[in-house]
PDB file of all heavy atoms in Angstrom:
ATOM      1  N   THR A1101      -6.830 -85.405   5.353  1.00 99.00           N
ATOM      2  CA  THR A1101      -5.585 -85.955   5.818  1.00 99.00           C
ATOM      3  C   THR A1101      -4.465 -85.576   4.855  1.00 99.00           C
ATOM      4  O   THR A1101      -4.676 -85.603   3.624  1.00 99.00           O
ATOM      5  CB  THR A1101      -5.616 -87.488   6.019  1.00 99.00           C
ATOM      6  OG1 THR A1101      -4.346 -87.939   6.533  1.00 99.00           O
ATOM      7  CG2 THR A1101      -5.852 -88.236   4.714  1.00 99.00           C
ATOM      8  N   LEU A1102      -3.305 -85.230   5.406  1.00 98.00           N
ATOM      9  CA  LEU A1102      -2.115 -84.999   4.633  1.00 98.00           C
ATOM     10  C   LEU A1102      -0.924 -85.449   5.423  1.00 98.00           C
ATOM     11  O   LEU A1102      -0.959 -85.541   6.652  1.00 98.00           O
ATOM     12  CB  LEU A1102      -1.993 -83.519   4.225  1.00 98.00           C
ATOM     13  CG  LEU A1102      -1.726 -82.489   5.299  1.00 98.00           C
ATOM     14  CD1 LEU A1102      -1.063 -81.265   4.686  1.00 98.00           C
ATOM     15  CD2 LEU A1102      -3.049 -82.041   5.951  1.00 98.00           C
ATOM     16  N   THR A1103       0.164 -85.738   4.723  1.00 98.00           N
ATOM     17  CA  THR A1103       1.366 -86.278   5.383  1.00 98.00           C
ATOM     18  C   THR A1103       2.038 -85.199   6.213  1.00 98.00           C
ATOM     19  O   THR A1103       2.177 -84.062   5.740  1.00 98.00           O
ATOM     20  CB  THR A1103       2.352 -86.813   4.329  1.00 98.00           C
ATOM     21  OG1 THR A1103       1.696 -87.838   3.541  1.00 98.00           O
ATOM     22  CG2 THR A1103       3.582 -87.417   4.982  1.00 98.00           C
ATOM     23  N   PHE A1104       2.439 -85.523   7.437  1.00 98.00           N
ATOM     24  CA  PHE A1104       3.118 -84.539   8.260  1.00 98.00           C
ATOM     25  C   PHE A1104       4.487 -85.007   8.767  1.00 98.00           C
ATOM     26  O   PHE A1104       5.273 -84.214   9.254  1.00 98.00           O
ATOM     27  CB  PHE A1104       2.255 -84.127   9.453  1.00 98.00           C
ATOM     28  CG  PHE A1104       2.271 -85.065  10.624  1.00 98.00           C
ATOM     29  CD1 PHE A1104       3.092 -84.817  11.709  1.00 98.00           C
ATOM     30  CD2 PHE A1104       1.469 -86.198  10.649  1.00 98.00           C
ATOM     31  CE1 PHE A1104       3.103 -85.683  12.806  1.00 98.00           C
ATOM     32  CE2 PHE A1104       1.483 -87.068  11.733  1.00 98.00           C
ATOM     33  CZ  PHE A1104       2.297 -86.815  12.827  1.00 98.00           C
ATOM     34  N   ALA A1105       4.781 -86.308   8.631  1.00 98.00           N
ATOM     35  CA  ALA A1105       6.057 -86.813   9.123  1.00 98.00           C
ATOM     36  C   ALA A1105       6.286 -88.176   8.556  1.00 98.00           C
ATOM     37  O   ALA A1105       5.416 -88.766   7.878  1.00 98.00           O
ATOM     38  CB  ALA A1105       6.029 -86.891  10.645  1.00 98.00           C
ATOM     39  N   ARG A1106       7.472 -88.731   8.869  1.00 98.00           N
ATOM     40  CA  ARG A1106       7.795 -90.141   8.551  1.00 98.00           C
ATOM     41  C   ARG A1106       8.186 -90.836   9.818  1.00 98.00           C
ATOM     42  O   ARG A1106       8.909 -90.284  10.629  1.00 98.00           O
ATOM     43  CB  ARG A1106       8.905 -90.226   7.484  1.00 98.00           C
ATOM     44  CG  ARG A1106       8.412 -89.734   6.142  1.00 98.00           C
ATOM     45  CD  ARG A1106       9.249 -90.250   5.009  1.00 98.00           C
ATOM     46  NE  ARG A1106       8.564 -89.966   3.748  1.00 98.00           N
ATOM     47  CZ  ARG A1106       8.403 -90.845   2.762  1.00 98.00           C
ATOM     48  NH1 ARG A1106       8.900 -92.058   2.863  1.00 98.00           N
ATOM     49  NH2 ARG A1106       7.783 -90.525   1.672  1.00 98.00           N
ATOM     50  N   VAL A1107       7.692 -92.051   9.963  1.00 98.00           N
ATOM     51  CA  VAL A1107       8.015 -92.901  11.108  1.00 98.00           C
ATOM     52  C   VAL A1107       8.412 -94.263  10.526  1.00 98.00           C
ATOM     53  O   VAL A1107       7.675 -94.803   9.682  1.00 98.00           O
ATOM     54  CB  VAL A1107       6.807 -93.033  12.076  1.00 98.00           C
ATOM     55  CG1 VAL A1107       7.113 -94.049  13.165  1.00 98.00           C
ATOM     56  CG2 VAL A1107       6.458 -91.664  12.673  1.00 98.00           C
ATOM     57  N   GLU A1108       9.537 -94.783  10.945  1.00 97.00           N
ATOM     58  CA  GLU A1108      10.077 -96.021  10.364  1.00 97.00           C
ATOM     59  C   GLU A1108      10.254 -95.892   8.837  1.00 97.00           C
ATOM     60  O   GLU A1108      10.098 -96.833   8.077  1.00 97.00           O
ATOM     61  CB  GLU A1108       9.164 -97.234  10.655  1.00 97.00           C
ATOM     62  CG  GLU A1108       8.991 -97.555  12.114  1.00 97.00           C
ATOM     63  CD  GLU A1108       7.931 -98.622  12.355  1.00 97.00           C
ATOM     64  OE1 GLU A1108       7.598 -99.370  11.447  1.00 97.00           O
ATOM     65  OE2 GLU A1108       7.425 -98.707  13.498  1.00 97.00           O
ATOM     66  N   GLY A1109      10.501 -94.674   8.390  1.00 98.00           N
ATOM     67  CA  GLY A1109      10.670 -94.427   6.983  1.00 98.00           C
ATOM     68  C   GLY A1109       9.382 -94.363   6.173  1.00 98.00           C
ATOM     69  O   GLY A1109       9.424 -94.211   4.960  1.00 98.00           O
ATOM     70  N   MET A1110       8.247 -94.475   6.857  1.00 98.00           N
ATOM     71  CA  MET A1110       6.959 -94.490   6.171  1.00 98.00           C
ATOM     72  C   MET A1110       6.159 -93.226   6.508  1.00 98.00           C
ATOM     73  O   MET A1110       6.287 -92.665   7.611  1.00 98.00           O
ATOM     74  CB  MET A1110       6.122 -95.708   6.638  1.00 98.00           C
ATOM     75  CG  MET A1110       6.756 -97.058   6.265  1.00 98.00           C
ATOM     76  SD  MET A1110       6.869 -97.304   4.476  1.00 98.00           S
ATOM     77  CE  MET A1110       5.138 -97.527   4.066  1.00 98.00           C
ATOM     78  N   PRO A1111       5.324 -92.754   5.576  1.00 98.00           N
ATOM     79  CA  PRO A1111       4.534 -91.557   5.836  1.00 98.00           C
ATOM     80  C   PRO A1111       3.461 -91.764   6.907  1.00 98.00           C
ATOM     81  O   PRO A1111       2.893 -92.871   6.997  1.00 98.00           O
ATOM     82  CB  PRO A1111       3.911 -91.247   4.476  1.00 98.00           C
ATOM     83  CG  PRO A1111       3.855 -92.554   3.766  1.00 98.00           C
ATOM     84  CD  PRO A1111       5.027 -93.329   4.258  1.00 98.00           C
ATOM     85  N   VAL A1112       3.220 -90.744   7.667  1.00 98.00           N
ATOM     86  CA  VAL A1112       2.084 -90.732   8.592  1.00 98.00           C
ATOM     87  C   VAL A1112       1.302 -89.441   8.381  1.00 98.00           C
ATOM     88  O   VAL A1112       1.880 -88.412   8.058  1.00 98.00           O
ATOM     89  CB  VAL A1112       2.489 -90.910  10.070  1.00 98.00           C
ATOM     90  CG1 VAL A1112       2.974 -92.327  10.335  1.00 98.00           C
ATOM     91  CG2 VAL A1112       3.510 -89.892  10.493  1.00 98.00           C
ATOM     92  N   GLY A1113      -0.005 -89.524   8.565  1.00 98.00           N
ATOM     93  CA  GLY A1113      -0.880 -88.396   8.246  1.00 98.00           C
ATOM     94  C   GLY A1113      -1.427 -87.699   9.458  1.00 98.00           C
ATOM     95  O   GLY A1113      -1.520 -88.247  10.557  1.00 98.00           O
ATOM     96  N   VAL A1114      -1.818 -86.436   9.242  1.00 98.00           N
ATOM     97  CA  VAL A1114      -2.511 -85.663  10.267  1.00 98.00           C
ATOM     98  C   VAL A1114      -3.865 -85.266   9.698  1.00 98.00           C
ATOM     99  O   VAL A1114      -3.985 -84.945   8.512  1.00 98.00           O
ATOM    100  CB  VAL A1114      -1.678 -84.440  10.688  1.00 98.00           C
ATOM    101  CG1 VAL A1114      -1.509 -83.401   9.557  1.00 98.00           C
ATOM    102  CG2 VAL A1114      -2.210 -83.778  11.936  1.00 98.00           C
ATOM    103  N   GLN A1115      -4.878 -85.293  10.565  1.00 99.00           N
ATOM    104  CA  GLN A1115      -6.232 -84.915  10.156  1.00 99.00           C
ATOM    105  C   GLN A1115      -6.550 -83.498  10.592  1.00 99.00           C
ATOM    106  O   GLN A1115      -6.243 -83.077  11.697  1.00 99.00           O
ATOM    107  CB  GLN A1115      -7.263 -85.843  10.816  1.00 99.00           C
ATOM    108  CG  GLN A1115      -7.234 -87.274  10.361  1.00 99.00           C
ATOM    109  CD  GLN A1115      -8.301 -88.112  11.045  1.00 99.00           C
ATOM    110  OE1 GLN A1115      -9.369 -88.303  10.498  1.00 99.00           O
ATOM    111  NE2 GLN A1115      -7.979 -88.590  12.225  1.00 99.00           N
ATOM    112  N   VAL A1116      -7.201 -82.759   9.654  1.00 99.00           N
ATOM    113  CA  VAL A1116      -7.760 -81.442   9.940  1.00 99.00           C
ATOM    114  C   VAL A1116      -9.276 -81.606   9.911  1.00 99.00           C
ATOM    115  O   VAL A1116      -9.835 -82.064   8.912  1.00 99.00           O
ATOM    116  CB  VAL A1116      -7.340 -80.414   8.882  1.00 99.00           C
ATOM    117  CG1 VAL A1116      -7.945 -79.049   9.205  1.00 99.00           C
ATOM    118  CG2 VAL A1116      -5.804 -80.319   8.808  1.00 99.00           C
ATOM    119  N   VAL A1117      -9.930 -81.316  11.037  1.00 99.00           N
ATOM    120  CA  VAL A1117     -11.367 -81.574  11.188  1.00 99.00           C
ATOM    121  C   VAL A1117     -12.082 -80.262  11.459  1.00 99.00           C
ATOM    122  O   VAL A1117     -11.682 -79.487  12.335  1.00 99.00           O
ATOM    123  CB  VAL A1117     -11.639 -82.534  12.374  1.00 99.00           C
ATOM    124  CG1 VAL A1117     -13.098 -82.856  12.502  1.00 99.00           C
ATOM    125  CG2 VAL A1117     -10.815 -83.810  12.265  1.00 99.00           C
ATOM    126  N   GLY A1118     -13.159 -80.010  10.698  1.00 98.00           N
ATOM    127  CA  GLY A1118     -13.934 -78.759  10.901  1.00 98.00           C
ATOM    128  C   GLY A1118     -15.395 -79.033  11.153  1.00 98.00           C
ATOM    129  O   GLY A1118     -15.855 -80.183  11.086  1.00 98.00           O
ATOM    130  N   PRO A1119     -16.162 -78.004  11.414  1.00 98.00           N
ATOM    131  CA  PRO A1119     -17.605 -78.170  11.649  1.00 98.00           C
ATOM    132  C   PRO A1119     -18.311 -78.588  10.380  1.00 98.00           C
ATOM    133  O   PRO A1119     -17.817 -78.327   9.263  1.00 98.00           O
ATOM    134  CB  PRO A1119     -18.090 -76.772  12.090  1.00 98.00           C
ATOM    135  CG  PRO A1119     -16.854 -75.986  12.389  1.00 98.00           C
ATOM    136  CD  PRO A1119     -15.737 -76.595  11.579  1.00 98.00           C
ATOM    137  N   TYR A1120     -19.480 -79.177  10.511  1.00 98.00           N
ATOM    138  CA  TYR A1120     -20.280 -79.607   9.362  1.00 98.00           C
ATOM    139  C   TYR A1120     -20.487 -78.433   8.400  1.00 98.00           C
ATOM    140  O   TYR A1120     -20.823 -77.332   8.815  1.00 98.00           O
ATOM    141  CB  TYR A1120     -21.637 -80.145   9.809  1.00 98.00           C
ATOM    142  CG  TYR A1120     -22.474 -80.580   8.645  1.00 98.00           C
ATOM    143  CD1 TYR A1120     -22.274 -81.852   8.073  1.00 98.00           C
ATOM    144  CD2 TYR A1120     -23.434 -79.759   8.088  1.00 98.00           C
ATOM    145  CE1 TYR A1120     -22.990 -82.247   6.956  1.00 98.00           C
ATOM    146  CE2 TYR A1120     -24.179 -80.160   6.976  1.00 98.00           C
ATOM    147  CZ  TYR A1120     -23.968 -81.406   6.418  1.00 98.00           C
ATOM    148  OH  TYR A1120     -24.662 -81.800   5.307  1.00 98.00           O
ATOM    149  N   GLY A1121     -20.291 -78.677   7.122  1.00 98.00           N
ATOM    150  CA  GLY A1121     -20.495 -77.660   6.096  1.00 98.00           C
ATOM    151  C   GLY A1121     -19.340 -76.734   5.852  1.00 98.00           C
ATOM    152  O   GLY A1121     -19.338 -75.984   4.879  1.00 98.00           O
ATOM    153  N   GLU A1122     -18.323 -76.778   6.730  1.00 98.00           N
ATOM    154  CA  GLU A1122     -17.189 -75.859   6.563  1.00 98.00           C
ATOM    155  C   GLU A1122     -16.034 -76.506   5.789  1.00 98.00           C
ATOM    156  O   GLU A1122     -14.888 -76.455   6.195  1.00 98.00           O
ATOM    157  CB  GLU A1122     -16.704 -75.414   7.961  1.00 98.00           C
ATOM    158  CG  GLU A1122     -17.721 -74.578   8.721  1.00 98.00           C
ATOM    159  CD  GLU A1122     -17.900 -73.183   8.126  1.00 98.00           C
ATOM    160  OE1 GLU A1122     -17.039 -72.746   7.330  1.00 98.00           O
ATOM    161  OE2 GLU A1122     -18.913 -72.533   8.422  1.00 98.00           O
ATOM    162  N   ASP A1123     -16.381 -77.130   4.664  1.00 98.00           N
ATOM    163  CA  ASP A1123     -15.385 -77.814   3.850  1.00 98.00           C
ATOM    164  C   ASP A1123     -14.310 -76.868   3.364  1.00 98.00           C
ATOM    165  O   ASP A1123     -13.120 -77.202   3.335  1.00 98.00           O
ATOM    166  CB  ASP A1123     -16.082 -78.487   2.630  1.00 98.00           C
ATOM    167  CG  ASP A1123     -17.124 -79.497   3.069  1.00 98.00           C
ATOM    168  OD1 ASP A1123     -18.005 -79.158   3.887  1.00 98.00           O
ATOM    169  OD2 ASP A1123     -17.081 -80.644   2.557  1.00 98.00           O
ATOM    170  N   GLY A1124     -14.699 -75.669   2.960  1.00 98.00           N
ATOM    171  CA  GLY A1124     -13.730 -74.681   2.458  1.00 98.00           C
ATOM    172  C   GLY A1124     -12.726 -74.284   3.524  1.00 98.00           C
ATOM    173  O   GLY A1124     -11.528 -74.121   3.252  1.00 98.00           O
ATOM    174  N   ARG A1125     -13.195 -74.176   4.762  1.00 98.00           N
ATOM    175  CA  ARG A1125     -12.281 -73.853   5.875  1.00 98.00           C
ATOM    176  C   ARG A1125     -11.281 -74.946   6.074  1.00 98.00           C
ATOM    177  O   ARG A1125     -10.058 -74.706   6.244  1.00 98.00           O
ATOM    178  CB  ARG A1125     -13.049 -73.590   7.145  1.00 98.00           C
ATOM    179  CG  ARG A1125     -12.152 -73.131   8.322  1.00 98.00           C
ATOM    180  CD  ARG A1125     -12.727 -73.401   9.686  1.00 98.00           C
ATOM    181  NE  ARG A1125     -14.024 -72.802   9.915  1.00 98.00           N
ATOM    182  CZ  ARG A1125     -14.658 -72.825  11.070  1.00 98.00           C
ATOM    183  NH1 ARG A1125     -14.113 -73.446  12.095  1.00 98.00           N
ATOM    184  NH2 ARG A1125     -15.856 -72.260  11.212  1.00 98.00           N
ATOM    185  N   VAL A1126     -11.731 -76.197   6.098  1.00 98.00           N
ATOM    186  CA  VAL A1126     -10.846 -77.332   6.319  1.00 98.00           C
ATOM    187  C   VAL A1126      -9.793 -77.440   5.202  1.00 98.00           C
ATOM    188  O   VAL A1126      -8.598 -77.606   5.446  1.00 98.00           O
ATOM    189  CB  VAL A1126     -11.657 -78.665   6.412  1.00 98.00           C
ATOM    190  CG1 VAL A1126     -10.748 -79.888   6.320  1.00 98.00           C
ATOM    191  CG2 VAL A1126     -12.440 -78.674   7.727  1.00 98.00           C
ATOM    192  N   LEU A1127     -10.221 -77.243   3.959  1.00 98.00           N
ATOM    193  CA  LEU A1127      -9.279 -77.295   2.832  1.00 98.00           C
ATOM    194  C   LEU A1127      -8.323 -76.107   2.862  1.00 98.00           C
ATOM    195  O   LEU A1127      -7.121 -76.288   2.567  1.00 98.00           O
ATOM    196  CB  LEU A1127     -10.065 -77.296   1.528  1.00 98.00           C
ATOM    197  CG  LEU A1127     -10.798 -78.633   1.228  1.00 98.00           C
ATOM    198  CD1 LEU A1127     -11.906 -78.435   0.210  1.00 98.00           C
ATOM    199  CD2 LEU A1127      -9.816 -79.703   0.728  1.00 98.00           C
ATOM    200  N   ALA A1128      -8.778 -74.940   3.264  1.00 98.00           N
ATOM    201  CA  ALA A1128      -7.893 -73.790   3.342  1.00 98.00           C
ATOM    202  C   ALA A1128      -6.830 -73.995   4.428  1.00 98.00           C
ATOM    203  O   ALA A1128      -5.642 -73.742   4.212  1.00 98.00           O
ATOM    204  CB  ALA A1128      -8.703 -72.538   3.665  1.00 98.00           C
ATOM    205  N   ILE A1129      -7.247 -74.515   5.571  1.00 98.00           N
ATOM    206  CA  ILE A1129      -6.270 -74.773   6.658  1.00 98.00           C
ATOM    207  C   ILE A1129      -5.332 -75.923   6.247  1.00 98.00           C
ATOM    208  O   ILE A1129      -4.132 -75.886   6.539  1.00 98.00           O
ATOM    209  CB  ILE A1129      -7.018 -75.098   7.978  1.00 98.00           C
ATOM    210  CG1 ILE A1129      -7.745 -73.835   8.466  1.00 98.00           C
ATOM    211  CG2 ILE A1129      -6.046 -75.619   9.038  1.00 98.00           C
ATOM    212  CD1 ILE A1129      -8.664 -74.057   9.653  1.00 98.00           C
ATOM    213  N   GLY A1130      -5.873 -76.912   5.559  1.00 98.00           N
ATOM    214  CA  GLY A1130      -5.011 -77.988   5.067  1.00 98.00           C
ATOM    215  C   GLY A1130      -3.971 -77.479   4.095  1.00 98.00           C
ATOM    216  O   GLY A1130      -2.808 -77.881   4.133  1.00 98.00           O
ATOM    217  N   GLY A1131      -4.367 -76.543   3.227  1.00 98.00           N
ATOM    218  CA  GLY A1131      -3.394 -75.937   2.310  1.00 98.00           C
ATOM    219  C   GLY A1131      -2.326 -75.146   3.061  1.00 98.00           C
ATOM    220  O   GLY A1131      -1.141 -75.144   2.691  1.00 98.00           O
ATOM    221  N   TRP A1132      -2.768 -74.420   4.122  1.00 98.00           N
ATOM    222  CA  TRP A1132      -1.832 -73.680   4.961  1.00 98.00           C
ATOM    223  C   TRP A1132      -0.779 -74.619   5.579  1.00 98.00           C
ATOM    224  O   TRP A1132       0.412 -74.357   5.554  1.00 98.00           O
ATOM    225  CB  TRP A1132      -2.634 -72.976   6.069  1.00 98.00           C
ATOM    226  CG  TRP A1132      -1.846 -72.098   7.003  1.00 98.00           C
ATOM    227  CD1 TRP A1132      -1.660 -70.769   6.927  1.00 98.00           C
ATOM    228  CD2 TRP A1132      -1.162 -72.531   8.174  1.00 98.00           C
ATOM    229  NE1 TRP A1132      -0.870 -70.309   7.981  1.00 98.00           N
ATOM    230  CE2 TRP A1132      -0.572 -71.376   8.780  1.00 98.00           C
ATOM    231  CE3 TRP A1132      -0.991 -73.777   8.818  1.00 98.00           C
ATOM    232  CZ2 TRP A1132       0.195 -71.450   9.928  1.00 98.00           C
ATOM    233  CZ3 TRP A1132      -0.238 -73.836   9.979  1.00 98.00           C
ATOM    234  CH2 TRP A1132       0.334 -72.678  10.546  1.00 98.00           C
ATOM    235  N   LEU A1133      -1.255 -75.753   6.097  1.00 98.00           N
ATOM    236  CA  LEU A1133      -0.364 -76.730   6.705  1.00 98.00           C
ATOM    237  C   LEU A1133       0.570 -77.344   5.668  1.00 98.00           C
ATOM    238  O   LEU A1133       1.780 -77.477   5.908  1.00 98.00           O
ATOM    239  CB  LEU A1133      -1.192 -77.876   7.331  1.00 98.00           C
ATOM    240  CG  LEU A1133      -1.428 -77.882   8.838  1.00 98.00           C
ATOM    241  CD1 LEU A1133      -2.261 -79.092   9.174  1.00 98.00           C
ATOM    242  CD2 LEU A1133      -0.113 -77.893   9.630  1.00 98.00           C
ATOM    243  N   GLU A1134       0.000 -77.718   4.558  1.00 98.00           N
ATOM    244  CA  GLU A1134       0.777 -78.370   3.484  1.00 98.00           C
ATOM    245  C   GLU A1134       1.939 -77.490   3.060  1.00 98.00           C
ATOM    246  O   GLU A1134       3.076 -77.966   2.873  1.00 98.00           O
ATOM    247  CB  GLU A1134      -0.122 -78.648   2.295  1.00 98.00           C
ATOM    248  CG  GLU A1134       0.520 -79.404   1.137  1.00 98.00           C
ATOM    249  CD  GLU A1134      -0.472 -79.636   0.023  1.00 98.00           C
ATOM    250  OE1 GLU A1134      -1.072 -78.671  -0.489  1.00 98.00           O
ATOM    251  OE2 GLU A1134      -0.670 -80.805  -0.333  1.00 98.00           O
ATOM    252  N   ALA A1135       1.668 -76.195   2.896  1.00 97.00           N
ATOM    253  CA  ALA A1135       2.720 -75.251   2.465  1.00 97.00           C
ATOM    254  C   ALA A1135       3.858 -75.175   3.489  1.00 97.00           C
ATOM    255  O   ALA A1135       5.008 -74.944   3.117  1.00 97.00           O
ATOM    256  CB  ALA A1135       2.130 -73.869   2.234  1.00 97.00           C
ATOM    257  N   ARG A1136       3.563 -75.385   4.759  1.00 96.00           N
ATOM    258  CA  ARG A1136       4.575 -75.275   5.814  1.00 96.00           C
ATOM    259  C   ARG A1136       5.200 -76.578   6.186  1.00 96.00           C
ATOM    260  O   ARG A1136       6.247 -76.590   6.890  1.00 96.00           O
ATOM    261  CB  ARG A1136       3.920 -74.582   7.039  1.00 96.00           C
ATOM    262  CG  ARG A1136       3.673 -73.110   6.802  1.00 96.00           C
ATOM    263  CD  ARG A1136       2.538 -72.534   7.628  1.00 96.00           C
ATOM    264  NE  ARG A1136       2.358 -71.115   7.292  1.00 96.00           N
ATOM    265  CZ  ARG A1136       1.708 -70.695   6.211  1.00 96.00           C
ATOM    266  NH1 ARG A1136       1.151 -71.552   5.373  1.00 96.00           N
ATOM    267  NH2 ARG A1136       1.577 -69.394   5.956  1.00 96.00           N
ATOM    268  N   LEU A1137       4.640 -77.697   5.756  1.00 92.00           N
ATOM    269  CA  LEU A1137       5.195 -78.996   6.099  1.00 92.00           C
ATOM    270  C   LEU A1137       6.091 -79.556   4.987  1.00 92.00           C
ATOM    271  O   LEU A1137       6.693 -80.603   5.136  1.00 92.00           O
ATOM    272  CB  LEU A1137       4.058 -80.014   6.375  1.00 92.00           C
ATOM    273  CG  LEU A1137       3.221 -79.753   7.616  1.00 92.00           C
ATOM    274  CD1 LEU A1137       2.057 -80.718   7.709  1.00 92.00           C
ATOM    275  CD2 LEU A1137       4.075 -79.852   8.873  1.00 92.00           C
ATOM    276  N   ARG A1138       6.133 -78.853   3.868  1.00 83.00           N
ATOM    277  CA  ARG A1138       6.961 -79.359   2.733  1.00 83.00           C
ATOM    278  C   ARG A1138       8.427 -79.352   3.097  1.00 83.00           C
ATOM    279  O   ARG A1138       8.916 -78.456   3.751  1.00 83.00           O
ATOM    280  CB  ARG A1138       6.727 -78.496   1.488  1.00 83.00           C
ATOM    281  CG  ARG A1138       5.406 -78.828   0.809  1.00 83.00           C
ATOM    282  CD  ARG A1138       5.239 -78.095  -0.500  1.00 83.00           C
ATOM    283  NE  ARG A1138       3.974 -78.477  -1.118  1.00 83.00           N
ATOM    284  CZ  ARG A1138       3.091 -77.620  -1.605  1.00 83.00           C
ATOM    285  NH1 ARG A1138       3.324 -76.330  -1.549  1.00 83.00           N
ATOM    286  NH2 ARG A1138       1.986 -78.037  -2.151  1.00 83.00           N
TER     287      ARG A1138
END
């Protein structure tokens, strides 16, 4: 989960979900999103 927006002035998160064992893929995609949501 990482923050993607604010609602009522508070952070809200978005989940990136991958297949079992694909932790590196989920983290890589999360990093991709994080860089573009800043």
Side-chain angles (χ1 to χ4, degrees):
T1101 182
L1102 67 155
T1103 302
F1104 81 98
R1106 290 200 168 226
V1107 174
E1108 298 172 20
M1110 297 297 289
V1112 290
V1114 66
Q1115 293 180 96
V1116 179
V1117 183
Y1120 180 81
E1122 295 289 343
D1123 300 51
R1125 184 204 302 185
V1126 167
L1127 288 159
I1129 292 171
W1132 182 96
L1133 259 181
E1134 182 179 58
R1136 286 155 181 80
L1137 293 174
R1138 282 187 180 132

